[in-house]
Amino acid sequence: MGPPKQDHFYMSAYGGDDEAEEHLVLSAHTDSTQHSYLNSPIVEDDSVSVHQSQPRRPAHQLSLRRTEQERRDAARASGLYGEPLQEYEYDDSYYDQGSFTSLSKPYGRRERADDDEYGIMEKLDDSHRDREYVSQPSRGPSMYQRMRLMNDGDDENDTALKRASTLLKRQLSKRRSGAPDGALRRSLLANGGSPESYGEGNIPMQELTSDHNLNSMPSDAGLMDPGTPDTTVPFGADGSGSFRTVHIGNRESNARYKYKHNKVSTAKYNFLTFLPKFLFEQFSKYANVFFLFTGCIQQIDGVTPTSRWTTIVPLGVVLAATAVKELAEDLKRHKSDKEMNKSNARVLTGTTFEERSWRDLVVGDIVRVENREAIPADLVLLSSSEPEGMCYIETSNLDGETNLKVKQALPETAEMLKPADLASLHGHLKTEMPNDSLYTFEGTMVSEGGKLGFKEMPLGPTQVLLRGAILRNTDWIYAVVIFTGHETKLMRNATAAPIKRTSVEKTTNRQIIFLFIILLTLAVLSAVGSQVLTSRNRDELAYLMLPDGEGAKAFVKNILTFIILYNNLIPISLIVTMEVVKFQQAQLINADMDMYDESSDTPALARTSSLVEELGQVEYIFSDKTGTLTCNIMEFRQCSIGGIMYSDIVEAGKRARMVNGAVVGQYDFTQLREHMRDSERKAQLHEFFQLLATCHTVIPEQQADAPNGIEYQASSPDEGALVKGATLIDYVFHTRRPRSITVSIMGVDQEFEVLNINEFNSTRKRMSAVLRCPDGSIKLYCKGADTVILERIDEARGAPVATTLRHLEEYATEGLRTLCIAMRDISADEYRTWSAMHTKASTTLTNRQQELDRVAELIERDMVLLGATAIEDKLQDGVPQTIYTLAQAGIKIWVLTGDRQETAINIGYSCKLIQEDFSLIICNESTHWETKEFLQKKLDAIREGRGSNIDLESLALIIDGRSLDFALEKDVEMLFLELATLCRAVICCRVSPLQKALVVKLVKRRRKAILLAIGDGANDVSMIQAAHVGVGISGQEGLQAARSADFAIAQFRYLRKLLLVHGAWSYHRLSKMILFSFYKNIALYITQFWFAIFNMFSGQTIYESWSITFYTVFFTVMPPFAIGVFDQFLNARSLDRYPEMYKMGQTGVFFNVRSFWGWAINAFYHSLILFFLGTAMLYDDSERDGLVDGQWVYGVIIYTAVLTTVLLKAALITNMWTKWTVLAIPGSLVLWFIFLPVYSLVAPKFRTSTEYEGILGHTYTNPRFWLSVVLLPVLCLMRDYGYKFLKRMYFTKPYHIVQEIQKFNIPDYRPRMERFKKAVHKARLLQRLRRTRGFAFSQTEGGQEKVIRAYDTTMQKPSGF
């Protein structure tokens, strides 16, 4: 429950601070009898009058009688809000197109059915309340939360109020313009007077004089008052004004504003930013910072015990290799951007159109776009090939909706059909500043002479075409460019390509810090030891000539020396090894033929290799619906007519047959045509398909390449599918005129007069048409949801309702979208009476839509049920199986779609995202407080019921975009997130691209989980980039999502193998490779510390310096590559068959802090054995000739033992041996035994290394050398082998069992369980359908009758030239 409502009327400019807000007194010189709302008490607080200027008081000081809920309940009870209640629908038509500014809509207030004066004032009152109490701690109103104060159909009082509200908003807009306080007050005092004469909170608005008479004010007035000079800041691109000016077709005038170009880049780097961004990214890895530091101190004379280049050179090689990889990946993005920017557009130059690339478009250009072409920038529509300047666009690339949207040019410009007409257009546009709202637009077209004369015309969303939309079923359009490039609304919804770092990298980074602390500790201890031993034995060390008085300096130098000595405790090769391994894993993804789509010739593509291991740890998937789960294709599949089922394809076991005198099964469409010719059901079949061919708002277009030579323009894909379905039975709709349509029925043209259309809306869930048939009879044809059609059926007519319901349930179990079909004969007298009522309702100025719905109810009754239709919203292949398998893998899937709620829920059932036994939590709240209360209530119920009757695995949350906007507010987001994460599935409907990204960012910020976002349209780009891993689908909505994603696949089903197989492999391989890399370096370099104990911490190294470098670069580099690229702990078939194995990646079984330090401690243990046992074995180092082996022989023996141990450890952890594994592990040991004699002979001659001179005879011929190489590794690895045995035998993990099943090919019992589950699935589905049968009808609400009345397809369309 929100704060109590403030029961007085005051209004302040949105966005102003509290101190600067003043009360505005609304006074008007109007007829008190005509405008009674200005003289009547508006509020219930007796102490406050709308006519009195009152000082502002805090809300808690107001005298209140009722809380918000009490007032709302009272209003409902008294009928104040009208019946039924109608909620705001946030579409384009609800915005004030007559002025530039709009007041913010109160947070989800319900609007009563009639807009009388009380309702308008109450909304204005509430708008301030909501700003004060709601928007303060939150983001403020969203793109959907606009308040409309104007409707086309208002009575005289409403019209006057409308104009008063317009003036009010004008005055408020001046306050918003950013003027200083003094100027602000002066701008409000149009009649003169000093600001000092008014108290704080008592600043009156401009008096409405004769110059500003309400009745004389044009409804489409702009920002400034008529006849008043424009004293506000000039519009422009410099940001000084709230709007900007676009000169039509005048590049020179627009050039001074320096608008952005139309070139778009989705790349990560450019020429200037590559070096700083790359270096920042690389040195955010602590290992690189450490090695850079080490390389620098190695250059200090007298500090390094090794060569000064042993660190800086490998680091340079690592950075160079990484830079080449990053450049190669980013060049792919640049190439994709270049292809898009080079797309052709037609620009008006003089009186002709010239071809230019998209990147060369500038603001103000007049362009021509033709059918099926993409919109190159944000445009204002001027004219088109269609009547009255209308055009159709597909916005699935923007908002995910597949139904076509109708846009319409201004009537004044709609007649400009030739280039010469456009060239004569002189004037400019005043538009809003670039923003990310896809559904709003405010502007004005100002004509400065020419054909249109001097006038101003309002612009709204109806005239705007956004970049990313596709022109459909319209030959051509002319439009003027208003926003370009990254200022377009599509790109404003996108975000810059982020720098993504994986959780494995972050964990590694943290452990490197701890290792560095250990290294620093060892260096300090060694330096302290050096100081102590040197000071104690200074007399015995006189031959060293140690300087006096440099204790502190020597101590610091010793620390640096030991840092260099131990620096390879952190493997310098790790970073480059990780990059190369990831690159190879990405190549394996690219080369996987199981993820190659043959139909589109599209392979899987890893656009970046940096995130491959994240694919194995995903816990949440955020998916688009349209084009990702579905194919954007609607097909008429089945129908039920008179209790008989017909289908396009009939399985052998379902063919129709007679059983006990009744038809059981299905006929195919071929048999249907036979029944149409000679059957007792002929009349009913004819009526059914005649309804499909006539009851719609589809526009036919002659297209040579289309079936039957006709392409249908349909605002609803369902309607288009039904009309196409009728053509299969030779009922071909081919001509539409403003008052009639022509249908070819069995080859014979018949004309039907369209008398009336009762349009579809979400409340009615049906549409109907009243037609005069060729025989003169009048019929009502109706189609809609079964729940609304069946209750209007005349059961006395003997319709097979029960049979049809059974068929509907069967269709729904197959995931088909169903509609019921009904008709009624109407007498001429009844129609005459009803038509008069309809005409009156259609011309009323108040509650027009409600009146039309009420009149439609009067005629949509006592209908005859003809049957039902079943349309397939075709899912992509394998979607249900993929979602079900991913759910088994412990992945939660959220669907974020711009589509309608009913459609999204039906698809959720079809694709197995929602199971039949799920309980749906549906949130469709209208206000901030109602949303918060709803979420809190549901969350409390779940908490109370946990452990008893509530199964968290059977909950699904459904929330619409309006409620989601409130749910993302700071004080509600945690409630929403907690409830959503408790549910098995979440569907967010009617959401914008920005909301998609906000949802992903919320989960990313509040949950320690890996998120994956997948989509195929430009509206999914921001969501894809916000997630840890982005996957784009190369689908019908274009390639922008695929270009901006980290991975691209052709179909959703490939996500299954991408995650469960490649993801699991990559995570396991990389985890093992990283752990092994640290292990091998710790095992070698800790022996340096043990040796320092014996040499008085002098800083002397036990190993030759280049051997240390080659250890990392040559001798132990291949095993990590072999493990990282080719190792498989399970094969692909087992990982797909047992998706539960994927959970090990989610829980971090293979790579975590515990495992990291387990490997580190094991390396310390091995170094102890190798050094101290090796030293003991070599203690007596004299040989038969009386000579001693010396330090370097001793170092080579320990070095060889360490290398052998490390390589045997690699062999022990390898699960799958390939030829590359053999080459890497035994091959590395062989390489060392070949390298040692060659290097010991060659290096001394070139004076590269003199330490190994003459060493060969003291190693390979020494028995203790071979004894150490064999015995020490065995002693080290006995513990490792024993631990592995115990873990597999007594502490078995699930993957150990699957490994046994895989090795011995043990049969699985699960196929029988699957059949049982399918039977249970069908039973539960039928139970759900009997409770609530679904329906989907994705049609644009309202305005369709106006569209069809404008079309005459018999007339030739203009060519535009």
Side-chain angles (χ1 to χ4, degrees):
M1 178 63 66
K5 185 172 180 178
Q6 300 174 21
D7 294 328
H8 70 299
F9 172 69
Y10 59 93
M11 196 66 196
S12 62
Y14 177 74
D17 56 50
D18 289 342
E19 295 180 359
E21 286 183 347
E22 294 90 11
H23 294 289
L24 308 179
V25 180
L26 180 63
S27 62
H29 291 219
T30 55
D31 185 350
S32 60
T33 58
Q34 182 179 357
H35 305 294
S36 57
Y37 56 86
L38 293 175
N39 299 320
S40 59
I42 306 299
V43 292
E44 295 177 300
D45 190 345
D46 300 331
S47 64
V48 182
S49 168
V50 73
H51 307 297
Q52 301 167 353
S53 58
Q54 297 291 335
R56 179 173 179 174
R57 292 180 294 170
H60 65 271
Q61 294 179 4
L62 295 175
S63 60
L64 303 171
R65 290 187 181 176
R66 300 174 183 170
T67 64
E68 177 182 300
Q69 188 63 46
E70 289 171 342
R71 288 194 52 180
R72 189 175 301 152
D73 294 340
R76 289 195 183 97
S78 63
L80 182 60
Y81 282 84
E83 288 294 328
L85 279 171
Q86 179 169 342
E87 298 184 6
Y88 278 106
E89 286 291 333
Y90 300 105
D91 58 28
D92 297 345
S93 64
Y94 282 10
Y95 302 119
D96 176 13
Q97 299 175 14
S99 63
F100 287 101
T101 59
S102 63
L103 297 176
S104 91
K105 172 192 170 293
Y107 276 79
R109 306 291 294 169
R110 287 179 179 244
E111 182 187 21
R112 55 197 186 98
D114 54 329
D115 289 332
D116 66 11
E117 61 273 16
Y118 186 97
I120 294 292
M121 291 301 185
E122 183 189 47
K123 285 185 284 185
L124 291 173
D125 185 8
D126 286 349
S127 68
H128 185 92
R129 177 195 62 79
D130 284 309
R131 279 200 303 279
E132 184 172 352
Y133 284 93
V134 180
S135 63
Q136 284 275 0
S138 64
R139 300 190 322 274
S142 74
M143 64 185 71
Y144 297 107
Q145 298 166 349
R146 304 287 190 188
M147 178 180 178
R148 69 178 176 97
L149 295 174
M150 298 186 182
N151 278 327
D152 291 337
D154 290 333
D155 59 11
E156 189 175 15
N157 283 2
D158 292 320
T159 303
L161 176 61
K162 205 194 296 182
R163 293 167 180 165
S165 301
T166 301
L167 185 59
L168 173 65
K169 290 190 290 183
R170 288 178 186 167
Q171 302 295 342
L172 293 175
S173 70
K174 294 178 183 178
R175 296 187 59 190
R176 277 184 234 172
S177 64
D181 286 348
L184 171 66
R185 291 173 178 260
R186 286 192 296 273
S187 68
L188 292 174
L189 303 176
N191 290 328
S194 64
E196 290 75 19
S197 61
Y198 298 92
E200 181 70 16
N202 187 20
I203 301 210
M205 289 188 62
Q206 176 180 352
E207 184 177 354
L208 298 180
T209 63
S210 58
D211 292 334
H212 302 94
N213 187 276
L214 286 172
N215 294 320
S216 64
M217 185 190 302
S219 61
D220 59 350
L223 183 66
M224 298 305 299
D225 300 336
T228 303
D230 187 351
T231 59
T232 60
V233 290
F235 297 123
D238 59 357
S240 62
S242 300
F243 308 100
R244 66 183 197 173
T245 301
V246 176
H247 295 277
I248 302 173
N250 192 333
R251 287 195 166 201
E252 293 74 16
S253 297
N254 290 321
R256 63 191 176 97
Y257 298 123
K258 297 181 180 179
Y259 294 129
K260 285 188 177 293
H261 52 70
N262 201 38
K263 186 178 179 180
V264 169
S265 174
T266 60
K268 189 175 179 181
Y269 308 108
N270 59 37
F271 180 78
L272 295 176
T273 63
F274 172 73
L275 197 59
K277 288 182 74 173
F278 172 76
L279 291 177
F280 173 79
E281 184 176 357
Q282 294 306 310
F283 287 103
S284 64
K285 301 171 183 176
Y286 299 138
N288 287 340
V289 176
F290 170 71
F291 290 127
L292 179 63
F293 168 72
T294 304
C296 290
I297 63 176
Q298 276 185 316
Q299 310 308 309
I300 303 174
D301 293 333
V303 170
T304 177
T306 61
S307 170
R308 65 175 57 191
W309 306 112
T310 53
T311 300
I312 203 72
V313 171
L315 177 62
V317 172
V318 168
L319 292 178
T322 307
V324 170
K325 181 188 77 73
E326 287 287 316
L327 281 173
E329 291 176 349
D330 207 51
L331 282 174
K332 296 177 184 176
R333 300 188 187 99
H334 278 284
K335 184 179 179 181
S336 299
D337 293 337
K338 188 175 181 180
E339 291 175 0
M340 178 184 295
N341 292 326
K342 289 178 67 176
S343 301
N344 287 330
R346 301 166 193 85
V347 181
L348 182 67
T349 304
T351 58
T352 60
F353 281 92
E354 295 181 356
E355 293 277 348
R356 291 183 184 171
S357 60
W358 281 19
R359 65 188 174 195
D360 295 329
L361 291 182
V362 298
V363 172
D365 280 349
I366 296 176
V367 298
R368 176 185 171 106
V369 182
E370 297 186 351
N371 192 26
R372 299 180 183 276
E373 290 182 351
I375 306 298
D378 287 358
L379 313 175
V380 166
L381 181 63
L382 297 176
S383 60
S384 75
S385 61
E386 307 304 302
E388 300 184 13
M390 290 187 292
C391 72
Y392 288 87
I393 60 169
E394 179 185 309
T395 60
S396 55
N397 213 8
L398 296 168
D399 56 20
E401 290 196 56
T402 55
N403 51 307
L404 300 184
K405 308 291 193 308
V406 178
K407 298 291 183 177
Q408 187 169 9
L410 293 172
E412 291 84 353
T413 64
E415 301 302 322
M416 294 184 170
L417 305 179
K418 297 179 181 179
D421 297 335
L422 299 170
S424 67
L425 180 58
H426 300 294
H428 64 271
L429 306 176
K430 288 183 178 179
T431 73
E432 63 187 14
M433 298 301 288
N435 59 73
D436 57 15
S437 175
L438 297 176
Y439 308 104
T440 63
F441 178 79
E442 294 171 344
T444 298
M445 177 181 288
V446 181
S447 175
E448 300 170 350
K451 186 177 180 180
L452 298 183
F454 294 88
K455 62 192 309 184
E456 291 190 13
M457 297 153 281
L459 297 173
T462 306
Q463 287 79 44
V464 175
L465 310 176
L466 302 183
R467 179 183 178 125
I470 308 293
L471 187 65
R472 295 289 188 192
N473 303 334
T474 306
D475 290 348
W476 55 265
I477 62 165
Y478 291 142
V480 60
V481 178
I482 54 171
F483 300 129
T484 51
H486 287 274
E487 288 188 339
T488 60
K489 291 179 180 284
L490 175 63
M491 297 307 297
R492 298 278 292 195
N493 271 275
T495 54
I499 296 175
K500 296 183 178 181
R501 297 179 58 207
T502 68
S503 61
V504 170
E505 282 184 4
K506 292 175 182 176
T507 303
T508 304
N509 237 11
R510 287 193 295 270
Q511 305 320 310
I512 285 175
I513 293 176
F514 289 113
L515 273 180
F516 177 73
I517 293 172
I518 292 174
L519 185 153
L520 197 60
T521 303
L522 293 177
V524 171
L525 288 175
S526 298
V528 169
S530 176
Q531 289 290 97
V532 171
L533 294 176
T534 300
S535 61
R536 283 184 179 181
N537 302 284
R538 195 171 189 84
D539 295 339
E540 300 174 12
L541 301 175
Y543 66 92
L544 295 177
M545 294 182 290
L546 298 173
D548 294 328
E550 293 188 359
K553 182 179 179 181
F555 179 72
V556 173
K557 286 184 68 176
N558 283 337
I559 290 177
L560 296 178
T561 298
F562 285 111
I563 287 176
I564 295 171
L565 191 64
Y566 305 145
N567 80 89
N568 279 303
L569 201 64
I570 301 169
I572 193 170
S573 64
L574 175 62
I575 304 301
V576 72
T577 303
M578 285 176 62
E579 295 296 340
V580 174
V581 164
K582 288 182 178 184
F583 180 78
Q584 289 301 322
Q585 290 173 348
Q587 296 308 306
L588 293 176
I589 292 173
N590 296 344
D592 192 338
M593 293 303 294
D594 290 339
M595 295 193 293
Y596 170 74
D597 185 56
E598 189 173 359
S599 61
S600 61
D601 189 28
T602 306
L605 176 63
R607 299 181 67 85
T608 177
S609 59
S610 303
L611 306 173
V612 286
E613 74 271 24
E614 297 275 67
L615 294 172
Q617 300 175 276
V618 174
E619 291 186 51
Y620 291 89
I621 291 178
F622 298 87
S623 174
D624 178 39
K625 181 190 76 69
T626 307
T628 303
L629 304 179
T630 62
C631 296
N632 287 352
I633 298 173
M634 299 284 188
E635 294 182 352
F636 180 70
R637 288 298 187 192
Q638 301 185 46
C639 59
S640 171
I641 309 173
I644 306 298
M645 285 199 295
Y646 297 91
S647 178
D648 58 343
I649 300 173
V650 182
E651 298 175 9
K654 294 184 178 180
R655 294 191 180 279
R657 59 192 185 277
M658 297 296 294
V659 177
N660 298 327
V663 177
V664 177
Q666 301 174 354
Y667 292 106
D668 60 27
F669 285 171
T670 303
Q671 293 169 306
L672 174 58
R673 293 190 191 91
E674 296 174 358
H675 294 171
M676 294 287 294
R677 297 187 187 92
D678 47 356
S679 168
E680 59 185 17
R681 294 190 296 275
K682 178 180 178 179
Q684 193 173 27
L685 294 171
H686 168 75
E687 206 73 64
F688 183 91
F689 285 100
Q690 184 168 285
L691 184 151
L692 296 188
T694 57
C695 180
H696 53 73
T697 57
V698 175
I699 310 295
E701 294 287 343
Q702 301 299 322
Q703 297 283 348
D705 56 346
N708 298 312
I710 301 173
E711 182 170 334
Y712 295 111
Q713 302 178 17
S715 63
S716 161
D718 302 79
E719 276 205 330
L722 291 175
V723 175
K724 290 175 185 176
T727 63
L728 300 175
I729 317 298
D730 294 332
Y731 281 68
V732 182
F733 164 59
H734 60 77
T735 303
R736 180 177 289 281
R737 297 182 180 85
R739 295 293 171 184
S740 66
I741 58 175
T742 304
V743 181
S744 173
I745 299 177
M746 301 295 183
V748 179
D749 283 354
Q750 297 192 25
E751 186 172 358
F752 296 80
E753 182 182 355
V754 181
L755 301 176
N756 300 95
I757 296 289
N758 296 316
E759 296 191 42
F760 168 87
N761 61 46
S762 56
T763 304
R764 285 166 41 79
K765 293 187 179 181
R766 64 189 182 279
M767 68 88 62
S768 63
V770 182
L771 306 172
R772 192 185 302 277
C773 298
D775 60 1
S777 62
I778 299 176
K779 293 185 178 181
L780 170 77
Y781 287 150
C782 187
K783 62 186 179 187
D786 52 1
T787 52
V788 297
I789 296 294
L790 295 179
E791 64 186 19
R792 290 164 175 81
I793 295 299
D794 183 3
E795 297 183 4
R797 306 286 288 274
V801 175
T803 306
T804 303
L805 280 176
R806 191 167 62 252
H807 294 167
L808 285 170
E809 291 172 353
E810 188 170 336
Y811 295 151
T813 58
E814 299 175 20
L816 302 177
R817 298 153 69 99
T818 59
L819 290 173
C820 277
I821 305 297
M823 60 84 61
R824 177 176 175 236
D825 289 310
I826 301 174
S827 66
D829 291 339
E830 182 183 359
Y831 175 73
R832 192 178 302 110
T833 304
W834 180 84
S835 178
M837 298 172 64
H838 184 273
T839 301
K840 183 177 179 180
S842 64
T843 56
T844 185
L845 298 179
T846 58
N847 306 324
R848 180 180 298 170
Q849 189 57 56
Q850 289 86 348
E851 288 299 315
L852 287 172
D853 291 350
R854 186 181 62 81
V855 172
E857 286 278 357
L858 300 177
I859 201 169
E860 293 171 344
R861 58 181 176 80
D862 299 333
M863 296 185 289
V864 177
L865 180 65
L866 297 177
T869 61
I871 300 171
E872 181 182 18
D873 185 0
K874 196 172 183 181
L875 292 173
Q876 290 196 10
D877 293 340
V879 166
Q881 295 82 358
T882 300
I883 288 180
Y884 181 72
T885 304
L886 293 176
Q888 284 183 302
I891 299 174
K892 291 185 177 181
I893 301 175
W894 294 21
V895 172
L896 311 178
T897 177
D899 220 333
R900 297 176 182 276
Q901 190 174 94
E902 298 89 345
T903 307
I905 292 175
N906 279 359
I907 292 298
Y909 280 114
S910 302
C911 66
K912 292 188 177 180
L913 176 64
I914 306 174
Q915 302 293 330
E916 294 68 43
D917 56 341
F918 276 23
S919 298
L920 303 186
I921 302 173
I922 300 178
C923 181
N924 290 329
E925 301 304 317
S926 303
T927 70
H928 175 96
W929 303 108
E930 288 175 357
T931 302
K932 185 175 183 179
E933 184 180 4
F934 176 89
L935 296 174
Q936 185 68 64
K937 181 180 178 182
K938 295 298 180 183
L939 193 57
D940 292 342
I942 292 173
R943 287 169 178 166
E944 293 171 4
R946 183 179 288 182
S948 56
N949 59 339
I950 293 183
D951 181 11
L952 296 181
E953 292 298 308
S954 64
L955 292 178
L957 174 64
I958 318 295
I959 185 169
D960 68 352
R962 181 172 39 182
S963 301
L964 181 62
D965 220 23
F966 304 129
L968 293 175
E969 298 289 341
K970 289 190 179 298
D971 60 329
V972 188
E973 63 178 18
M974 286 308 299
L975 292 175
F976 165 68
L977 181 61
E978 188 173 353
L979 178 61
T981 51
L982 286 174
C983 296
R984 179 77 175 272
V986 177
I987 297 178
C988 301
C989 317
R990 307 290 288 175
V991 295
S992 69
L994 201 57
Q995 282 179 311
K996 291 183 179 184
L998 289 173
V999 170
V1000 174
K1001 288 178 180 178
L1002 172 63
V1003 182
K1004 185 178 180 180
R1005 189 173 68 250
R1006 298 289 188 176
R1007 289 288 183 269
K1008 292 183 179 179
I1010 303 300
L1011 316 181
L1012 181 146
I1014 180 170
D1016 71 323
N1019 60 315
D1020 304 315
V1021 170
S1022 55
M1023 170 180 74
I1024 286 171
Q1025 293 183 338
H1028 293 100
V1029 183
V1031 179
I1033 291 183
S1034 306
Q1036 294 190 9
E1037 293 188 18
L1039 298 174
Q1040 189 156 346
R1043 287 170 177 159
S1044 304
D1046 306 306
F1047 301 89
I1049 54 179
Q1051 294 190 34
F1052 182 84
R1053 61 190 171 100
Y1054 298 145
L1055 190 64
R1056 177 174 174 175
K1057 186 169 187 182
L1058 184 66
L1059 296 185
L1060 301 188
V1061 178
H1062 287 286
W1065 278 347
S1066 296
Y1067 167 68
H1068 173 262
R1069 290 165 173 169
L1070 208 65
S1071 300
K1072 192 179 289 185
M1073 187 272 293
I1074 292 172
L1075 294 173
F1076 177 75
S1077 296
F1078 280 105
Y1079 160 81
K1080 67 184 180 64
N1081 276 41
I1082 293 172
L1084 178 71
Y1085 292 102
I1086 289 300
T1087 58
Q1088 295 267 38
F1089 178 72
W1090 307 136
F1091 181 66
I1093 298 173
F1094 288 85
N1095 62 34
M1096 293 182 62
F1097 299 103
S1098 63
Q1100 174 62 44
T1101 175
I1102 188 175
Y1103 310 119
E1104 188 264 340
S1105 60
W1106 284 106
S1107 295
I1108 296 175
T1109 301
F1110 292 152
Y1111 175 84
T1112 300
V1113 175
F1114 290 129
F1115 306 129
T1116 61
V1117 73
M1118 288 191 290
F1121 281 129
I1123 293 170
V1125 177
F1126 300 108
D1127 194 41
Q1128 294 180 9
F1129 73 107
L1130 290 171
N1131 61 30
R1133 182 172 177 272
S1134 296
L1135 288 170
D1136 184 71
R1137 193 176 185 185
Y1138 300 97
E1140 293 81 3
M1141 298 299 100
Y1142 188 81
K1143 294 178 181 178
M1144 292 187 295
Q1146 297 171 336
T1147 54
V1149 169
F1150 295 121
F1151 189 80
N1152 51 52
V1153 175
R1154 181 179 177 182
S1155 63
F1156 179 89
W1157 289 106
W1159 278 73
I1161 292 170
N1162 192 40
F1164 271 87
Y1165 166 74
H1166 286 177
S1167 70
L1168 277 169
I1169 293 177
L1170 289 166
F1171 180 82
F1172 287 104
L1173 285 182
T1175 302
M1177 292 174 64
L1178 300 171
Y1179 187 76
D1180 182 12
D1181 61 350
S1182 62
E1183 297 186 8
R1184 287 169 296 180
D1185 57 2
L1187 299 175
V1188 295
D1189 293 335
Q1191 175 190 342
W1192 302 116
V1193 173
Y1194 169 66
V1196 166
I1197 293 175
I1198 300 297
Y1199 185 95
T1200 306
V1202 171
L1203 180 61
T1204 306
T1205 303
V1206 165
L1207 293 175
L1208 288 177
K1209 175 68 173 178
L1212 187 64
I1213 64 174
T1214 299
N1215 292 299
M1216 180 179 178
W1217 283 80
T1218 65
K1219 60 182 179 181
W1220 306 108
T1221 314
V1222 173
L1223 184 65
I1225 298 176
S1228 295
L1229 191 59
V1230 172
L1231 179 64
W1232 163 248
F1233 284 117
I1234 295 173
F1235 168 83
L1236 180 61
V1238 173
Y1239 184 71
S1240 64
L1241 292 174
V1242 174
K1245 292 182 180 180
F1246 291 93
R1247 313 312 296 172
T1248 305
S1249 175
T1250 58
E1251 290 91 339
Y1252 282 176
E1253 186 173 3
I1255 201 173
L1256 193 59
H1258 295 269
T1259 51
Y1260 283 12
T1261 60
N1262 189 343
R1264 282 179 294 184
F1265 172 82
W1266 297 107
L1267 180 64
S1268 301
V1269 169
V1270 174
L1271 182 60
L1272 293 178
V1274 170
L1275 291 175
C1276 287
L1277 295 175
M1278 282 180 62
R1279 189 212 69 83
D1280 298 62
Y1281 183 82
Y1283 175 73
K1284 186 173 183 179
F1285 175 82
L1286 287 172
K1287 191 168 68 171
R1288 292 187 69 90
M1289 296 300 294
Y1290 301 105
F1291 303 97
T1292 307
K1293 300 284 186 183
Y1295 74 94
H1296 293 147
I1297 299 172
V1298 179
Q1299 284 176 338
E1300 298 294 322
I1301 294 174
Q1302 175 182 298
K1303 181 177 180 180
F1304 300 107
N1305 198 23
I1306 300 173
D1308 196 348
Y1309 69 93
R1310 293 192 307 166
R1312 287 174 291 172
M1313 289 296 296
E1314 289 297 328
R1315 288 194 294 271
F1316 173 73
K1317 286 181 180 178
K1318 285 181 179 178
V1320 174
H1321 168 87
K1322 187 170 183 179
R1324 287 175 174 170
L1325 182 59
L1326 289 174
Q1327 291 174 1
R1328 176 184 67 83
L1329 292 170
R1330 291 191 179 102
R1331 291 197 308 267
T1332 168
R1333 286 180 296 280
F1335 114 100
F1337 201 77
S1338 304
Q1339 179 161 320
T1340 303
E1341 298 187 17
Q1344 292 305 301
E1345 184 171 11
K1346 178 182 177 182
V1347 172
I1348 64 173
R1349 295 299 187 193
Y1351 267 87
D1352 188 344
T1353 58
T1354 61
M1355 297 179 64
Q1356 185 176 0
K1357 291 184 179 181
S1359 65
F1361 293 113

